[in-house]
Amino acid sequence: MKFLPLIFANLLRKKVRTVLTIGSFAVALFLFGLLATINVAFSQGIDVAGADRLMVINKVSIIQPLPLPYRDRILRIPGVKQVTFANWFGGVYIDEKNFFAQFAVDPETYRSMYPEFVIPDDQWKAFREDKAGAIAGKLTADKYHWKIGDRIPIKGTYLSGVFEFNLHGIYRGTRPQDDTTQFWFHWDYLNEKMPASYKNMIGWYTLRIENPDQAARVMKAIDETFANSPYETRAQTEKEMATSFAKQMGNIEFLILSIGAVVFFTLLLVTGNTMAIAVRERTAELAVLKTVGFPDWAVLMLVLAESVLVALLGGGLGIALAKALTLRGDPTNGLLPIFYLPPGQIATGVGVALLVGVIAGFLPAFSAMRLRVVEALRRV
Amino acid sequence: MKLGSGNGNGLIKVRNLDKKYMRGSEEIHVLQGLNLDVDEGDFVAFMGPSGSGKTTLLNLLGGLDVPSAGSITVAGDEITRLSGSRLTAWRARHVGFIFQMYNLIPVLTAFRNVELPLLLTGLGKAERRKHVETVLGVVGLGDRQQHYPRQLSGGQQQRVAIARAIVADATFLLCDEPTGDLDRKSADEILNLIDLLVRDHGKTVLMVTHDPRAAERAQQVLHLEKGVLVEGAPSAVRA
């Protein structure tokens, strides 16, 4: 602590240079925070996937439907505890840019399948009793300033016409990464509007199994049950489903790692160069410190502390800005419903900044430590 | 040859001190078989032409450099036998340096500059403050504590450097041309201050100078010529 005034005084000696170096860290860590947030957005389904939940979709693709009667047959398969289903709606609220996921769900079973979504009993009851009822996630409700009792018009895309919904409830997530942008309404309401050829068809089944260890067996049993039928199935764990969905967007994680590595390597060079210049400019002063009795390790630590302090100040600022941005919610109008920078990623960012600070400062600090006092004083 | 007051309480004993270094392929013999005794409370001035080895001797006495041969003993410690880290610790405890160009840290106030050697001690903040205020008072800069070096005159900066040299109660002070960058008036003030430290505070001072008026203040003037130490005028070599 008693060396802090010396460290800060040295940092403030070239204010513009210090500000620029801190700025470099801030920009890099802001970018890191943003990339990490995007990565989380794409992989959030993987992280939040329930271990005991399976998804069953049409073997051809998720956009192909499955018959509703499959529900009872799936329920009869040993190991299956509970089944619910849903359809994608894809309607437009006022304007096409207002994007959020809309699902036609089964009010009898959907809520208990997703205990991570919390909704008051009275709101759910009101929703169940009104065929035109709807439930919205908190993020979406806040975004459009919806209140319970509001009438929400949503224009169909694959179905013509405007669908009017009565908002009876707002759900919240139990974890920060839970998706609270969805909009649920009665599957029956949608089914009524469907053309005859699509009636009693659903988009996917979600089922809970008794034991996650039996997932492979249950999935195999389901797919075998519907093999060689007009609607063959593909059962997979919720996690696999989320992973394959994320992979459709490309290898986001690799992309982010590559960009991050380039940014941090550049930062390492910039900071290392800055610290080397700072030490070179201060050769005589470092020699004076050694003359008055500062041991080698203290000189090393002083230079290293400067580098680390710059890294932490800049890194902290960048991460804080990234966090502040994510607190304002998804800036893409629904493409990234989970726009969230988790504490683990914040810690990683700060840790990486710290590491860059240490590595960048080490060589200049080491050369300061090895400085020969007599030679350095001769240069004064 | 044995020079110095040598009146019995030898604080510094230098024996057969040699210092050589290589410049390209040429060997430079800076100091040759030098012997010296300095007692506690002595004020010794070293004079001599440039390149005679004055600063090298000071560096060796202060533990900033190591000799090629010979020994230096200070208050019973043979510093030429100490390892690098122990020598640094010894220097912090025993030596106060005063340079021609003051060598203050420009981004620190007078107070912080003087406090530097105390950061290495176990003293608490309040104790450090008390020490610094005391020595700044001794050098007459009690009212300039929060001034930065650039806000002080050359003479004032040298006073800060002196305060830094004495704040940890060094055993002896090494002054390398302490008045070399000052006008006459400021130089006299600095010399008066050094006199005061010797006379009233019992400090031992070894000073390198080109200035005969500065050397006059010392109790003893020693001359270095081509690495050999002689007492009195350069021609008065004693065997």
Side-chain angles (χ1 to χ4, degrees):
Chain A
M1 286 297 283
K2 59 187 175 185
F3 292 104
L4 273 182
L6 181 56
I7 295 166
F8 275 109
N10 280 327
L11 274 182
L12 295 175
R13 132 190 343 239
K14 301 271 185 187
K15 293 185 182 68
V16 173
R17 186 166 67 196
T18 303
V19 166
L20 288 176
T21 313
I22 288 176
S24 306
F25 268 96
V27 169
L29 267 292
F30 177 74
L31 186 62
F32 169 86
L34 219 53
L35 292 174
T37 302
I38 292 168
N39 189 35
V40 168
F42 278 107
S43 60
Q44 57 87 20
I46 301 166
D47 296 333
V48 300
D52 61 349
R53 284 198 297 247
L54 304 182
M55 304 273 295
V56 179
I57 61 172
N58 190 301
K59 191 176 181 180
V60 177
S61 101
I62 193 170
I63 61 169
Q64 298 298 320
L66 290 172
L68 181 61
Y70 277 18
R71 176 181 55 177
D72 295 335
R73 293 175 66 187
I74 291 172
L75 264 174
R76 285 199 293 271
I77 291 173
V80 175
K81 195 172 166 186
Q82 182 187 357
V83 177
T84 191
F85 54 89
N87 270 51
W88 173 258
F89 185 56
V92 173
Y93 174 64
I94 301 174
D95 191 295
E96 280 184 8
K97 70 180 184 192
N98 297 331
F99 179 83
F100 51 90
Q102 301 133 27
F103 299 143
V105 305
D106 174 23
E108 303 305 317
T109 53
Y110 201 75
R111 186 189 184 200
S112 57
M113 183 62 76
Y114 296 98
E116 61 266 40
F117 297 135
V118 177
I119 182 163
D121 289 340
D122 58 328
Q123 292 181 16
W124 190 259
K125 182 169 180 288
F127 165 66
R128 282 179 63 185
E129 289 170 356
D130 178 6
K131 194 180 265 188
I135 300 283
K138 186 174 184 315
L139 262 179
T140 297
D142 288 347
K143 184 175 177 182
Y144 299 113
H145 310 291
W146 291 344
K147 301 181 302 294
I148 289 172
D150 282 356
R151 199 155 172 82
I152 315 291
I154 294 187
K155 190 180 163 197
T157 46
Y158 60 80
L159 286 176
S160 58
V162 174
F163 292 67
E164 296 272 348
F165 298 103
N166 304 315
L167 190 67
H168 287 299
I170 293 169
Y171 75 84
R172 295 165 188 272
T174 49
R175 301 162 296 186
Q177 63 269 38
D178 286 329
D179 180 4
T180 55
T181 65
Q182 300 171 17
F183 182 87
W184 307 330
F185 61 95
H186 285 241
W187 180 84
D188 287 342
Y189 187 55
L190 177 69
N191 196 42
E192 279 178 7
K193 311 277 182 187
M194 284 288 199
S197 56
Y198 281 94
K199 280 214 189 290
N200 296 321
M201 301 296 276
I202 60 97
W204 62 89
Y205 288 104
T206 305
L207 46 122
R208 188 182 302 285
I209 54 178
E210 283 162 1
N211 183 353
D213 295 339
Q214 296 174 349
R217 182 188 59 74
V218 174
M219 289 189 296
K220 188 165 179 272
I222 291 169
D223 290 343
E224 281 175 358
T225 301
F226 303 109
N228 302 316
S229 73
Y231 299 97
E232 290 189 309
T233 61
R234 188 170 68 201
Q236 50 196 332
T237 62
E238 199 171 59
K239 193 162 193 150
E240 284 170 348
M241 179 86 177
T243 304
S244 64
F245 184 74
K247 277 185 179 166
Q248 287 175 13
M249 312 302 290
N251 196 337
I252 300 292
E253 196 162 9
F254 175 75
L255 189 70
I256 286 169
L257 275 176
S258 307
I259 296 172
V262 170
V263 168
F264 280 112
F265 183 69
T266 310
L267 193 61
L268 193 68
L269 298 182
V270 169
T271 316
N273 188 44
T274 304
M275 289 310 298
I277 292 170
V279 166
R280 202 158 52 238
E281 285 173 350
R282 244 182 279 157
T283 301
E285 292 171 32
L286 293 166
V288 170
L289 291 180
K290 290 184 143 195
T291 302
V292 301
F294 275 60
D296 288 348
W297 65 262
V299 173
L300 180 124
M301 292 309 289
L302 279 175
V303 177
L304 212 50
E306 261 182 67
S307 175
V308 166
L309 198 58
V310 164
L312 287 180
L313 285 174
L317 179 67
I319 280 283
L321 287 174
K323 182 69 186 172
L325 181 77
T326 61
L327 290 177
R328 296 177 61 192
D330 172 20
T332 63
N333 271 319
L335 289 175
L336 303 170
I338 301 302
F339 202 68
Y340 165 71
L341 184 57
Q345 296 292 338
I346 292 175
T348 303
V350 173
V352 170
L354 187 68
L355 188 68
V356 170
V358 170
I359 295 172
F362 185 76
L363 273 183
F366 189 69
S367 72
M369 186 187 88
R370 297 280 303 269
L371 191 71
R372 290 204 62 231
V373 179
V374 173
E375 286 170 13
L377 287 177
R378 211 176 281 149
R379 293 183 221 162
V380 178
Chain B
M1 189 188 301
K2 185 176 173 184
L3 296 175
S5 60
N7 59 13
N9 64 344
L11 176 71
I12 303 171
K13 291 188 173 104
V14 178
R15 296 290 177 265
N16 303 316
L17 195 68
D18 258 43
K19 180 65 183 177
K20 302 170 192 172
Y21 64 86
M22 300 299 290
R23 184 185 291 156
S25 58
E26 186 189 1
E27 185 181 76
I28 310 287
H29 213 150
V30 188
L31 297 174
Q32 303 179 43
L34 194 141
N35 291 293
L36 175 69
D37 283 279
V38 177
D39 291 333
E40 201 170 334
D42 276 0
F43 181 5
V44 181
F46 297 99
M47 296 190 77
S50 295
S52 59
K54 305 183 298 294
T55 299
T56 301
L57 176 59
L58 227 54
N59 289 339
L60 291 169
L61 291 171
L64 294 177
D65 205 352
V66 288
S68 307
S71 67
I72 300 170
T73 307
V74 179
D77 294 328
E78 190 179 334
I79 64 167
T80 36
R81 284 176 178 269
L82 296 178
S83 66
S85 58
R86 291 184 67 189
L87 193 58
T88 303
W90 172 83
R91 200 161 58 231
R93 243 186 4 260
H94 293 288
V95 194
F97 288 89
I98 300 164
F99 303 96
Q100 179 181 352
M101 299 306 295
Y102 332 126
N103 282 357
L104 300 177
I105 309 290
V107 291
L108 297 181
T109 60
F111 182 96
R112 295 275 186 214
N113 265 290
V114 175
E115 191 189 23
L116 279 174
L118 298 181
L119 296 178
L120 305 162
T121 67
L123 293 177
K125 193 177 177 182
E127 284 175 299
R128 292 202 303 272
R129 170 167 289 280
K130 196 174 151 194
H131 277 70
V132 173
E133 286 173 350
T134 302
V135 292
L136 279 172
V138 168
V139 301
L141 289 177
D143 58 342
R144 296 283 192 277
Q145 291 183 21
Q146 297 310 317
H147 285 59
Y148 287 90
R150 64 176 180 279
Q151 298 167 320
L152 299 171
S153 68
Q156 288 172 327
Q157 289 187 56
Q158 194 60 295
R159 284 164 182 269
V160 174
I162 292 172
R164 183 179 66 190
I166 63 173
V167 71
D169 197 21
T171 308
F172 64 104
L173 304 181
L174 296 175
C175 313
D176 192 356
E177 300 277 9
T179 59
D181 199 49
L182 299 174
D183 58 51
R184 191 68 262 162
K185 184 171 173 290
S186 301
D188 283 342
E189 286 171 1
I190 292 301
L191 291 168
N192 289 340
L193 185 55
I194 294 173
D195 266 344
L196 177 87
L197 294 173
V198 174
R199 199 179 57 243
D200 293 355
H201 297 269
K203 291 290 173 198
T204 305
V205 176
L206 291 91
M207 175 175 71
V208 161
T209 184
H210 275 109
D211 180 0
R213 288 181 64 175
E216 278 173 14
R217 303 290 191 105
Q219 294 155 355
Q220 191 174 18
V221 181
L222 301 176
H223 286 262
L224 263 166
E225 282 190 13
K226 295 178 182 172
V228 177
L229 199 54
V230 296
E231 193 169 19
S235 56
V237 179
R238 292 191 330 185

